[in-house]
Amino acid sequence: MSDSPQPYRVLARKYRPRSFHELIGQDAMVQTLGNAIRRGRLAHAFLMTGVRGVGKTSTARLIAKALNCIGPDGQGGPTIDPCGVCEPCKAIAEGRHIDVIEMDAASHTGVDDVREIIEAVRYSAVSARYKVYIIDEVHMLSKNAFNALLKTLEEPPAHVKFLFATTEVNKVPVTVLSRCQRFDLRRIPAELLASHFTHVVEAEDVAAEPDALALIAQAAEGSARDGLSILDQAIAHAEMGEGAPLVTAAQVREMLGLSDRGSVRRLLGLLLEGQTAPLLAAVRDQYALGVEPLSLMRGLLELVHAVTLVKAGRDIATPGQSAEEREAIADWASQLGFAPLHRLWQLLLKGHDEVANAILPIESCEMALLRVMHAATMPDPGEIARMLREGAPAAASAPAAPSESPSGPSASLPASFEDLIEAFWQRGKGQLAQELHDCVGLVRYAPPELDYRAAPSLASDFAARLTPALREVTGVAWRVAQADGPAAPTLLEQEQRKAAEERARILETPVVKAAMEAFPEADLDDRLEQWSA
């Protein structure tokens, strides 16, 4: 009877790093760790942090092997290049070494679980050089569990090493962080992931288009495990070629619900040209092909970002980028200014968030793109300010209106000084609003111009802070000047004068006047003034 076939192992497990040489994208950490091992400067606790799938737990197991490897001849010491053939290396790789204990903190969060560790560390390793505790997702431990671990973590026995892994290092107490040697594992670059996937498909005897692997690497967002899981799915989804599956870029896009770059470029072109009907038709065509509306918005955001970087002088060429795409991006970068590009980004970003939370995603996508299209033709705040100063019409198609007197406030700006202060309060600029109220005597208010007299208590940098804040609150550039001419009292002075007049009026009423004569030591309560007002 023939042996039963080996069960299939998913790629993420099959290609888990077995040595530090196979750990991709973490060269700085490997070099630091290698130097520490060679110089005998080993910490008693290590903390690996980073996003999912970058190799935190794999690194912890590799460190355990590096510390306990005895070499093929049984005489070796700690090494950054564990042999992989000695009994400790094989037992640790297979997860059966009695002195390497792994614990998932997500399911062992309590203080009792930590007490078991504290009790066990007192005993020497059974067969290894070091007793190693690997605690995954350590941030899930309770506060009491962390507190119970602190003393042991600070002064553990010489034969014990702690290896922690977490995706949320901000949830780990500072008292624990200060007792560990921390390694921040970085997101793996897409180019490095694509190269790694090339070796994987070759080892799996699978054919794959380079663009397909590039798409998978981008979708992985820096995670080797996520990328291998997507690759596993793509291989299962692929059609059989001549004896081997063939993973194509078109199949990966269909599987992930992605739009191809050419379609995204056509959409952006229609958007910038203001072609409403063709734009809506193109969106619906992509939706019919299975492209998710959110993916469509993300593709447009990535393209606008690329154009902006090229505009700023950065080279963004990648191996998988076509000549047509480079040419289109360069063309847009030469034609569009930074202001329209920033406006496009903000509008698309707002649309992306709306689509992500929408009950009707495709309809929300269409409405968001229509808003982008029409807002793109609007003048920016600087242009609006110029139009206001020169009395120009708001739009080229509108008939020319007679220019208003520069002293008349614009209908689009706060009509009064009090309205301006209220606008500052509403935009969260309370300090400036208070200074305008208490310390500014108005000489002339003719938006977008403001002349004022400053009270002695007003800070010297007031004008420097006020001018940009006015532009932020109203969207228009203002001319602000300090004048020496006649000025109205500050609003605070006006309120105080009004309160004094009201107080005098109340004191002159017959009832209050008689009461004050009867009780000479009495005084008028402010609450009575407020009630009367």
Side-chain angles (χ1 to χ4, degrees):
M1 183 176 177
S2 60
D3 294 336
S4 60
Q6 289 292 326
Y8 176 70
R9 295 178 67 199
V10 296
L11 298 181
R13 291 189 61 193
K14 187 176 181 179
Y15 291 95
R16 179 172 282 163
R18 291 165 295 182
S19 69
F20 284 105
H21 296 296
E22 296 179 6
L23 188 66
I24 60 174
Q26 312 300 340
D27 297 341
M29 183 208 68
V30 173
Q31 180 178 353
T32 302
L33 191 61
N35 291 340
I37 291 175
R38 281 189 289 270
R39 296 167 185 169
R41 301 178 65 87
L42 286 170
H44 56 267
F46 299 89
L47 175 70
M48 272 67 68
T49 178
V51 298
R52 72 207 179 279
V54 292
K56 299 183 296 297
T57 308
S58 296
T59 299
R61 291 171 182 158
L62 291 176
I63 293 175
K65 287 170 64 175
L67 296 179
N68 286 315
C69 177
I70 59 175
D73 58 358
Q75 303 300 315
T79 174
I80 194 64
D81 297 311
C83 66
V85 298
C86 65
E87 180 55 29
C89 282
K90 291 192 292 185
I92 292 171
E94 295 168 7
R96 57 179 175 81
H97 201 295
I98 193 172
D99 291 319
V100 177
I101 302 98
E102 291 194 32
M103 187 182 90
D104 178 20
S107 54
H108 299 82
T109 61
V111 67
D112 290 337
D113 301 302
V114 172
R115 284 201 185 104
E116 292 182 12
I117 296 176
I118 296 171
E119 290 297 321
V121 297
R122 294 185 299 172
Y123 304 103
S124 299
V126 176
S127 62
R129 185 179 296 111
Y130 293 103
K131 181 180 283 189
V132 179
Y133 288 90
I134 300 175
I135 303 181
D136 200 11
E137 299 302 338
V138 70
H139 66 274
M140 299 289 286
L141 289 178
S142 67
K143 181 179 179 181
N144 289 337
F146 273 125
N147 290 336
L149 187 62
L150 282 180
K151 186 62 177 176
T152 302
L153 188 60
E154 185 170 20
E155 299 177 0
H159 61 271
V160 174
K161 300 292 182 184
F162 288 98
L163 305 177
F164 301 139
T166 179
T167 53
E168 299 185 51
V169 70
N170 58 301
K171 294 185 179 179
V172 179
V174 177
T175 50
V176 173
L177 293 177
S178 65
R179 290 165 167 83
C180 299
Q181 188 171 99
R182 174 175 167 176
F183 292 113
D184 291 271
L185 277 68
R186 301 178 179 276
R187 290 180 184 269
I188 305 169
E191 296 80 6
L192 202 55
L193 280 176
S195 175
H196 178 56
F197 298 156
T198 301
H199 297 308
V200 170
V201 294
E202 289 175 357
E204 291 291 307
D205 196 22
V206 173
E209 295 178 355
D211 284 352
L213 298 181
L215 285 171
I216 293 172
Q218 290 170 2
E221 296 183 341
S223 169
R225 184 175 62 230
D226 286 8
L228 288 171
S229 298
I230 297 171
L231 180 59
D232 226 339
Q233 183 181 353
I235 293 172
H237 183 77
E239 297 179 1
M240 294 295 291
E242 296 182 1
L246 174 62
V247 180
T248 66
Q251 290 169 337
V252 172
R253 289 192 188 98
E254 181 182 356
M255 183 185 78
L256 297 177
L258 299 175
S259 176
D260 67 274
R261 292 182 174 183
S263 299
V264 174
R265 291 199 304 275
R266 286 190 292 274
L267 275 178
L268 184 58
L270 294 170
L271 200 63
L272 294 174
E273 292 166 10
Q275 300 187 35
T276 306
L279 174 72
L280 294 177
V283 170
R284 285 290 174 171
D285 288 344
Q286 290 293 297
Y287 187 62
L289 291 173
V291 178
E292 294 295 329
L294 196 63
S295 173
L296 209 59
M297 298 298 294
R298 177 168 181 163
L300 287 168
L301 278 166
E302 289 173 347
L303 188 53
V304 170
H305 178 247
V307 174
T308 307
L309 290 183
V310 171
K311 181 75 177 178
R314 179 173 167 185
D315 183 12
I316 61 164
T318 58
Q321 195 176 51
S322 65
E324 292 82 0
E325 183 173 358
R326 286 195 292 271
E327 184 179 345
I329 290 175
D331 189 40
W332 281 322
S334 64
Q335 295 180 21
L336 296 171
F338 281 112
L341 285 170
H342 292 319
R343 196 182 319 155
L344 268 174
W345 173 264
Q346 292 295 333
L347 290 167
L348 287 170
L349 191 62
K350 181 174 178 9
H352 178 277
D353 293 343
E354 290 175 356
V355 173
N357 300 310
I359 301 173
L360 303 171
I362 185 61
E363 287 80 1
S364 296
C365 179
E366 290 174 333
M367 295 299 291
L369 293 180
L370 287 174
R371 181 175 66 229
V372 173
M373 178 182 291
H374 292 108
T377 62
M378 294 175 60
D380 59 33
E383 183 66 14
I384 293 174
R386 186 191 63 77
M387 291 176 176
L388 289 170
R389 286 196 300 270
E390 298 176 1
S397 58
S403 37
E404 300 179 0
S405 168
S407 62
S410 168
S412 62
L413 296 172
S416 67
F417 187 52
E418 291 82 354
D419 291 342
L420 179 68
I421 294 175
E422 180 61 28
F424 269 69
W425 281 113
Q426 292 177 359
R427 291 294 296 273
K429 299 190 176 299
Q431 181 177 349
L432 277 170
Q434 197 69 55
E435 289 175 311
L436 286 167
H437 179 275
D438 295 352
C439 306
V440 169
L442 198 61
V443 174
R444 178 170 172 268
Y445 181 75
E449 296 182 3
L450 174 63
D451 296 334
Y452 69 94
R453 187 193 64 203
S457 58
L458 193 62
S460 59
D461 64 341
F462 172 73
R465 291 184 288 114
L466 177 64
T467 303
L470 281 167
R471 177 161 189 162
E472 181 182 343
V473 170
T474 66
V476 174
W478 285 60
R479 184 193 66 78
V480 177
Q482 187 170 345
D484 296 328
T490 68
L491 293 181
L492 177 62
E493 291 171 342
Q494 294 179 37
E495 291 171 359
Q496 291 172 339
R497 184 172 62 186
K498 183 178 178 182
E501 292 172 351
E502 183 64 19
R503 179 184 178 87
R505 185 187 67 79
I506 293 173
L507 287 173
E508 288 300 317
T509 57
V511 174
V512 175
K513 197 169 184 179
M516 298 297 287
E517 290 174 354
F519 302 97
E521 299 298 324
D523 196 5
L524 186 64
D525 195 305
D526 290 341
R527 288 173 293 180
L528 177 60
E529 298 176 44
Q530 294 169 4
W531 174 80
S532 174

